[in-house]
Amino acid sequence: MEASQLSLRAPEPSPAVTLPNGSTVAEFQSMILDFYRQEGRSFPWRETRDPYAILVSELMLQQTQTERVVPKYLAWLEAFPTAADLAAAPFPQVLAAWSGLGYNRRAGYLQSACRQVMQEFGGVFPSTAKELQRLKGVGAYTAGAVAAFAFNRPEVFIETNIRSVYLFFFYPDQEKVSDAQLMPLIQATVYHQDPRRWYYALMDYGAALKKSTANPNRQSRHYSRQSRFEGSLRQARGAIVRQLSLGGNRPQALEDLAAGAGIDLYRMQGAAESLVSEGMIMQRGNLYCINEQR
């Protein structure tokens, strides 16, 4: 069934939303899970319960289209099959494998998190959201997702597609709805028999909603359009990392990096300064290279 043909209906608008009762929860869960049985999507990270592989996918998927992530995810796990492999890898190799996904600092967070797992947790990933948030770069959403998808724990978390579902069903006529208003609803409707399947179902239902209706996320207080990539500092940062990786991390002058990337020197200077301040790259005189000591 095409997304445009889905029967996606919201309840009648109400001035105030209260927590649903047992029968309403059961009806809501049944609708979402029935949809998932018929229209659920398939991705390689849904075929594993390895918390490391799931953490990789979650960091890659943030603000990145799914179709771009799939080949990078598979190549990443081939290069670094385990958390121990990633923890021990040279940072330039890690950045080279991440190149093309954008937001390169996430590669550093991922490696740092795996080093914590090896050093502080004896190589075993913690299983609760609270413990997972102790890892570098792991926030509330990522911790909840890893706990649910790897350990089938009924954690409460929200992301864009989940947000769409709850806005569509429970706040169809309201604007500026905060996540704080949605979280009690998410908690009240978690499918405790199989949280892993429940959250995948919510995400797929939300993705279908965006294709068949006006994006419900526009009703969220937290909604904002992603900033333009072309001409941005983010583009210049990615270009520096990519050029250094392509050059085997040979120290290069910023002028040469700018020429190779086709980006003006002024923007590259700002990008280089931010990367140096974060410890992603090093400056030696007028030459730059990826920080091998990270």
Side-chain angles (χ1 to χ4, degrees), residues 20 22 24-34 36-37 147-149 151-157 162 166 183-202:
T24 303
V25 169
E27 181 182 358
F28 176 65
Q29 291 174 339
S30 178
M31 183 183 303
I32 301 300
L33 293 171
D34 284 348
Y36 187 61
R37 276 190 288 272
F149 298 141
F151 301 104
N152 211 23
R153 296 185 64 90
E155 304 283 1
V156 178
F157 58 90
I162 295 172
Y166 286 87
M183 293 298 273
L185 287 167
I186 297 172
Q187 184 171 29
T189 55
V190 169
Y191 185 67
H192 284 259
Q193 292 93 319
D194 194 347
R196 172 186 168 92
R197 181 160 59 100
W198 173 244
Y199 277 112
Y200 282 145
L202 282 174

Side-chain angles (χ1 to χ4, degrees), residues 109-268:
Y109 290 155
L110 185 52
Q111 185 175 49
S112 294
C114 288
R115 286 175 174 169
Q116 277 184 266
V117 169
M118 301 310 297
Q119 296 167 7
E120 299 177 23
F121 294 91
V124 178
F125 269 82
S127 62
T128 68
K130 183 177 180 180
E131 290 176 308
L132 284 160
Q133 283 193 74
R134 292 171 55 187
L135 302 180
K136 178 74 171 179
V138 174
Y141 162 73
T142 303
V146 173
F149 298 141
F151 301 104
N152 211 23
R153 296 185 64 90
E155 304 283 1
V156 178
F157 58 90
I158 191 168
E159 53 81 68
T160 180
N161 287 324
I162 295 172
R163 184 183 293 114
S164 290
V165 174
Y166 286 87
L167 288 170
F168 180 78
F169 279 100
F170 297 99
Y171 289 92
D173 61 338
Q174 296 189 41
E175 302 294 327
K176 304 296 182 183
V177 180
S178 71
D179 285 353
Q181 292 170 266
L182 299 180
M183 293 298 273
L185 287 167
I186 297 172
Q187 184 171 29
T189 55
V190 169
Y191 185 67
H192 284 259
Q193 292 93 319
D194 194 347
R196 172 186 168 92
R197 181 160 59 100
W198 173 244
Y199 277 112
Y200 282 145
L202 282 174
M203 290 176 174
D204 287 2
Y205 202 103
L209 276 175
K210 292 178 182 178
K211 295 177 181 178
S212 60
T213 68
N215 183 1
N217 271 321
R218 294 176 182 175
Q219 298 166 236
S220 171
R221 181 176 297 173
H222 314 284
Y223 175 76
S224 63
R225 292 182 179 275
Q226 189 172 6
S227 59
R228 187 169 177 264
F229 178 72
E230 192 67 29
S232 66
L233 183 67
R234 183 160 53 94
Q235 181 191 33
R237 285 168 56 96
I240 289 173
V241 171
R242 184 170 57 255
Q243 292 296 117
L244 290 174
S245 296
L246 289 173
N249 203 29
R250 171 179 54 85
Q252 298 183 55
L254 199 58
E255 292 83 356
D256 295 330
L257 293 170
I263 296 177
D264 67 88
L265 183 59
Y266 177 78
R267 190 148 49 96
M268 293 289 270

